[in-house]
Amino acid sequence: MTDPDPARPRASEGESTVVTANGVRLHVVRAGPADGEPVLLLHGFPECWYGWDPVTRRLADAGYRVLVPDQRGYNASGKPSGVGAYRLPTLAADAAGLLDAVGADTAHVVGHDWGAAVAWWLALDHSSRVRTLAALNVPHPTVMRRTLDRSWDQRRRSWYFAAFQLPRLPELAARAGNYRLFERSMRESSRPGAFDDADFERYRAAWRQPGALTAMVNWYRAVARYPPPERTDPVDPPTRVIWGVRDRFLRASMAKESVAYCRQGEAVLLDDATHWLHHEQPDKVVDHLRAGFDAAE
């Protein structure tokens, strides 16, 4: 049977709730025991809460209280108008506000792609809320900026940042052919079998949400129009940078460079994984996450 709302969790995937955080309505999927250690999972582009499902299930089964929001602009969460609503410090404040809304003083914070950028900024601006930080395949923001300044290879890999600055055209291109561009990009940049047709049924349901495409692209527009300040102050929480070496979009050298900005940092390189490592090797990813959680005890 087809799920009547593919963008929402099934009973086996967690429970939906809605919170107000930093003035925006956030849809959050919760899984695991209510008294478990909180883990906040922040998705990237163009995913939603569902992208973390392989990791969510494993962490919930291990006894963690897992919180997986649709970040602002995505799927069932609020979609404020205007590019300025998607500045990186604002997105980090959403995550801090979510923890307030669910009564969690701190959490293990895990981010992938844009979610990792938010996680880095949360650890910089709200370090007391972050028990441990895990960043998957996105470097410290200053490492990203400096690499773009000096590396033509990284500029070539990041060509889509410039394309997303155009008005309306990125949304039209993404919507064409039933979101063929997004599906093809995810399939071609991942290992065979990382995504299947059922996954894209769930993603398309999220991409179809009114206003979602523009809000999602506005994350890219905001970082160009309102670049965050360069940060060189050390990241205080214990940090693991977990990186799929075969990432088509981001240079693996940035993983180890990012550790230099952390008081307690470690880079973990997965040689056979791509940008989509949490889909390809969820057991390994969870093992590394839990090792980082345990080391902070």
Side-chain angles (χ1 to χ4, degrees), residues 134-162:
L136 277 59
N137 276 70
V138 155
H140 185 283
T142 297
V143 172
M144 186 72 215
R145 172 183 287 191
R146 293 181 176 180
T147 302
L148 283 169
D149 286 344
R150 70 173 187 258
S151 171
W152 281 104
D153 174 60
Q154 185 55 59
R155 292 178 202 171
R156 176 186 59 80
R157 293 174 184 239
S158 300
W159 65 270
Y160 53 91
F161 270 75

Side-chain angles (χ1 to χ4, degrees), residues 224-246:
R225 297 184 196 179
Y226 308 101
E230 186 170 281
R231 299 289 292 269
T232 57
D233 45 319
V235 176
D236 285 328
T239 300
R240 286 197 164 198
V241 183
I242 307 175
W243 204 281
V245 172
R246 297 188 181 185

Side-chain angles (χ1 to χ4, degrees), residues 31-38 63-66:
D35 60 351
E37 287 186 42
Y64 293 94
R65 177 190 182 195
V66 189

Side-chain angles (χ1 to χ4, degrees), residues 39 47 69 78 81 88:
V39 179
E47 297 198 275
S81 61
L88 193 52

Side-chain angles (χ1 to χ4, degrees), residues 199-213:
D199 292 328
F200 286 108
E201 177 188 2
R202 309 294 291 275
Y203 287 128
R204 286 190 185 93
W207 300 333
R208 289 189 191 107
Q209 297 297 314
L213 278 180

